[in-house]
Amino acid sequence: MQRIADDIGLHQMDRISDLLTPTECQDLHQVLTNPEQNILEEVDRMSKQNSNLDINEKRKKRSIKCTRIMKEWLATVGNSMYYDRLARALRKIGRSDVSREMGKNINQDKSLGMKKYVEDFQKGVEAMKSSMIAADSDKSADRLRWERECKTRQADRQAVKQTDRQADRTDI
């Protein structure tokens, strides 16, 4: 399993903090910096708490302080914590939508990385092929053997015909 720092860069953390209200940001930071408790109880508590939030507070723009705090957290703790802990913390503060979006972004990054790796591998394999293998790569071994035998028989027939002609000339 990879660490958060391997999967989430500063840009991704910036996007996450953009989606959080200042209260949610503080809650997320608190959840991430404290040991995990019983997850199900906390989810219930946070869901009830978030449903009572003032609409104006939900619409507040993110604070620069939140972005700074989350980027500092990523820099200090990101190499020692796994992605699932951040995802659980986001769900715990009632932002499962952000958790899902982050998961999609990570999966897309991994898929693109794998696709690039496979394409580079295929290019390397193509470069390793020799001219002999490339010319005959679509023919089976039996087919190649049959073609060689046909050519040998044809060459033998021509040699016999030529010998017969030479014998006919000497007979004349």
Side-chain angles (χ1 to χ4, degrees):
M1 200 180 239
Q2 289 191 322
R3 311 285 181 184
I4 293 173
D6 297 332
D7 292 329
I8 300 174
L10 294 176
H11 177 72
Q12 177 82 7
M13 188 54 73
D14 190 40
R15 290 178 61 198
I16 291 170
S17 63
D18 281 345
L19 298 171
L20 301 176
T21 65
T23 303
E24 290 171 335
C25 185
Q26 289 172 349
D27 291 344
L28 177 64
H29 188 260
Q30 182 180 5
V31 168
L32 288 171
T33 54
N34 293 324
E36 280 190 283
Q37 299 169 357
N38 185 342
I39 295 170
L40 296 176
E41 290 174 8
E42 284 298 311
V43 168
D44 288 340
R45 184 186 67 77
M46 294 303 293
S47 294
K48 290 175 186 172
Q49 182 182 359
N50 282 343
S51 66
N52 296 329
L53 287 176
D54 183 67
I55 292 175
N56 291 331
E57 182 176 316
K58 287 184 178 181
R59 293 184 180 168
K60 284 181 185 176
K61 292 195 179 261
R62 71 173 176 99
S63 68
I64 295 173
K65 181 181 177 185
C66 176
T67 302
R68 183 181 51 78
I69 289 171
M70 295 310 300
K71 285 182 177 181
E72 286 175 5
W73 173 83
L74 180 64
T76 57
V77 184
N79 286 323
S80 62
M81 193 175 290
Y82 296 109
Y83 152 80
D84 62 329
R85 174 78 195 281
L86 177 59
R88 281 195 308 274
L90 284 164
R91 287 191 301 270
K92 190 172 185 178
I93 66 164
R95 293 307 305 261
S96 57
D97 59 325
V98 177
S99 175
R100 259 191 318 275
E101 191 63 31
M102 181 181 63
K104 288 179 189 178
N105 290 340
I106 290 171
N107 286 334
Q108 183 180 22
D109 289 346
K110 298 288 182 188
S111 295
L112 291 173
M114 183 62 75
K115 183 179 178 182
K116 183 181 180 328
Y117 173 78
V118 169
E119 288 171 355
D120 290 346
F121 179 77
Q122 287 174 337
K123 288 177 187 175
V125 169
E126 290 296 322
M128 290 188 316
K129 287 185 177 178
S130 70
S131 60
M132 282 180 52
I133 295 172
D136 297 334
S137 63
D138 59 331
K139 298 180 182 178
S140 69
D142 292 334
R143 175 85 178 159
L144 292 171
R145 190 177 312 112
W146 180 79
E147 287 177 359
R148 273 195 310 272
E149 289 173 3
C150 287
K151 289 178 185 177
T152 304
R153 287 184 200 134
Q154 187 178 12
D156 289 345
R157 282 189 217 118
Q158 288 176 351
V160 169
K161 285 181 185 178
Q162 190 175 13
T163 306
D164 288 345
R165 284 187 206 136
Q166 289 175 351
D168 287 342
R169 285 186 202 152
T170 54
D171 289 340
I172 298 180

